[in-house]
């Protein structure tokens, strides 16, 4: 599994170096919608907007507004997958699939970079995503954001960050056993704004990092991506750290609605991750839906028109408070 994740990170770096190496829209996982190969139908776009007020590329985002011009738009923050190894893959954030579907449905989409596990250890990554949400509120007028509805979405490690962002609504610092996790952080200038979201989409995310062996998957190496993210700590040595990294640890009845998509044949993040998340959310009384694709892999076979429409319908129903 370690080698497979690292091959994904290498692919990201190669694609960033050359647009000629990009895959066509709708291809493998988070890399299927590389921006140079995807022409989105938009009314306005902003690239490389810094949401943290610094000069770091890993703190930039791309903003897309739907083709139909309106005074404001509900917002989805969509996060790329990279096993937390990449700090500059916003241009590969499922543009031709998830992002296109959201734009066509009338949502503004923000695709952020975030610090990689090589730049900083957990919880820096969730601090960055929380900062993006605060930025959306702080810059709402400039970018026509309707902040009455903000959702997160993400593939793979992006699905993890989307899910943690949603399940930690309102939590600044989490006490997890003997560990204290600074969830909110202090990135950017909009620290007085709220980082609350109204819904989340989880596409193939690792959500319980204490149980990555729950199903069939590629063999682990000496250090898994989550080990690297936590500074080389092993699960057996400090399980509280892995709990603090897991979206499942924060599930409670107050959580916002979450929709889950996972492939039954995912051999990178086993499908039992999504199934456990779904069962926990249901047991807590949280509004949730799940689609487990029999032939779906880690991204491959997941972005059907039917699944993309399910995502849109779910977000619309939450936003419009349909029963």
């Amino acid at each position: 599994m370690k080698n497979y994740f690292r091959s994904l990170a290498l692919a990201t770096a190669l694609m960033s170096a050359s647009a000629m190496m990009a895959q066509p829209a709708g291809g493998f996982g988070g890399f299927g919608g590389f921006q140079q190969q995807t022409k989105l139908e938009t009314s306005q776009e902003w690239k490389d907007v810094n949401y943290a007020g610094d000069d770091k590329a890993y703190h930039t985002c791309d903003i897309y507004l739907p083709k139909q011009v309106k005074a404001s738009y509900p917002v989805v923050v969509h996060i790329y997958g990279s096993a937390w190894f990449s700090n500059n893959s916003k241009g590969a954030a499922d543009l031709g699939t998830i992002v296109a579907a959201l734009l066509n449905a009338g949502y503004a989409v923000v695709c952020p970079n975030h610090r990689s596990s090589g730049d900083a250890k957990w919880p820096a990554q969730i601090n960055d995503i929380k900062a993006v949400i605060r930025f959306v509120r702080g810059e709402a007028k400039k970018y026509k954001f309707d902040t009455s509805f903000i959702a997160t979405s993400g593939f793979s490690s992006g699905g993890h960050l989307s899910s943690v962002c949603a399940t930690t609504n309102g939590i600044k610092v989490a006490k997890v056993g003997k560990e204290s996790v600074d969830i909110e952080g202090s990135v950017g200038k909009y620290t007085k704004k709220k980082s609350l979201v109204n819904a989340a989409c989880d596409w193939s995310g690792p959500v319980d990092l204490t149980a990555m062996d729950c199903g069939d998957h590629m063999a682990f190496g000496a250090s898994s991506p989550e080990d690297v993210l936590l500074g080389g700590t092993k699960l057996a040595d400090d399980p509280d750290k892995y709990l603090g990294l897991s979206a499942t640890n924060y599930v409670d009845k107050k959580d916002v609605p979450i929709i889950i998509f996972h492939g039954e044949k995912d051999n990178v993040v086993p499908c039992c991750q999504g199934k456990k998340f779904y069962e926990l959310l249901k047991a807590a009384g949280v509004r949730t839906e799940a689609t487990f694709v029999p032939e779906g892999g880690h991204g491959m076979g997941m972005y059907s028109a039917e699944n993309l429409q399910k995502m849109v319908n779910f977000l619309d129903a939450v936003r419009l408070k349909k029963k």
Side-chain angles (χ1 to χ4, degrees):
M1 184 171 178
K2 175 190 73 172
N3 292 336
Y4 191 76
F5 269 131
R6 286 180 176 168
S7 72
L8 293 186
L10 176 60
T12 303
L14 290 173
M15 287 189 294
S16 297
S18 172
M20 294 299 292
M21 299 183 70
Q23 298 179 25
F28 179 79
F31 305 115
F34 193 59
Q35 65 181 356
Q36 280 84 349
Q37 297 287 59
T38 302
K39 178 60 178 175
L40 295 170
E41 294 191 347
T42 62
S43 58
Q44 286 183 280
E45 299 180 9
W46 294 266
K47 300 294 178 71
D48 300 320
V49 177
N50 194 289
Y51 60 83
D54 58 24
D55 61 352
K56 304 299 184 183
Y58 55 55
H59 280 153
T60 59
C61 64
D62 294 340
I63 300 168
Y64 305 94
L65 300 187
K67 185 176 181 179
Q68 183 179 3
V69 177
K70 292 186 176 181
S72 64
Y73 306 88
V75 184
V76 179
V77 174
H78 182 68
I79 309 158
Y80 59 79
S82 72
W84 311 284
F85 285 138
S86 175
N87 65 7
N88 192 14
S89 291
K90 58 184 172 59
D94 310 284
L95 299 191
T97 53
I98 293 171
V99 173
L102 290 167
L103 286 170
N104 290 340
Y107 290 88
V109 182
V110 178
C111 294
N113 284 333
H114 59 75
R115 282 172 287 179
S116 70
S117 56
D119 297 311
K121 302 309 176 187
W122 181 260
Q125 294 70 29
I126 193 62
N127 293 167
D128 288 349
I129 301 306
K130 295 283 187 176
V132 174
I133 306 302
R134 297 194 301 267
F135 170 86
V136 166
R137 287 194 166 88
E139 298 285 349
K141 184 175 180 180
K142 179 177 181 178
Y143 297 108
K144 299 183 180 180
F145 295 142
D146 175 1
T147 59
S148 69
F149 185 86
I150 303 172
T152 54
S153 172
F155 164 73
S156 195
S157 61
H160 162 264
L161 292 172
S162 171
S163 300
V164 173
C165 188
T167 55
T168 59
N169 255 358
I171 297 176
K172 293 187 179 295
V173 178
K175 185 67 176 176
V176 185
K178 62 180 177 56
E179 297 290 335
S180 183
V181 186
D182 179 7
I183 296 291
E184 189 71 24
S186 57
V187 175
K189 67 179 182 179
Y190 291 112
T191 53
K192 300 298 183 183
K193 297 290 184 179
K194 294 186 182 298
S195 62
L196 303 178
V197 297
N198 302 98
C201 307
D202 167 26
W203 293 85
S204 311
V207 289
D208 182 359
L209 283 305
T210 71
M212 289 299 289
D213 289 333
C214 64
D216 293 336
H217 58 81
M218 290 186 173
F220 284 95
S223 294
S224 68
E226 56 269 27
D227 294 342
V228 176
L229 186 63
L230 291 172
T233 303
K234 300 297 183 183
L235 174 60
D237 296 330
D238 195 344
D240 289 341
K241 277 194 173 183
Y242 287 77
L243 277 173
L245 181 60
S246 301
T248 51
N249 178 67
Y250 303 104
V251 170
D252 65 37
K253 64 182 180 181
K254 296 181 290 184
D255 287 340
V256 297
I258 298 174
I259 189 169
I260 299 162
F261 297 90
H262 217 121
E264 295 273 6
K265 292 188 176 179
D266 191 331
N267 64 348
V268 178
V269 178
C271 190
C272 43
Q273 288 279 308
K275 290 182 176 179
K276 179 176 181 178
F277 196 25
Y278 178 59
E279 293 301 327
L280 284 172
L281 290 168
K282 279 202 308 179
V286 178
R287 183 172 180 174
T288 185
E289 291 179 14
T291 297
F292 302 113
V293 181
E295 298 300 316
H298 195 61
M300 292 180 290
M302 294 299 297
Y303 296 152
S304 66
E306 180 183 5
N307 284 350
L308 294 172
Q309 191 59 53
K310 284 182 180 179
M311 170 190 67
V312 168
N313 290 347
F314 184 82
L315 293 176
D316 284 349
V318 175
R319 181 169 59 89
L320 301 173
K321 297 183 179 179
K322 295 179 181 177
K323 300 296 184 182

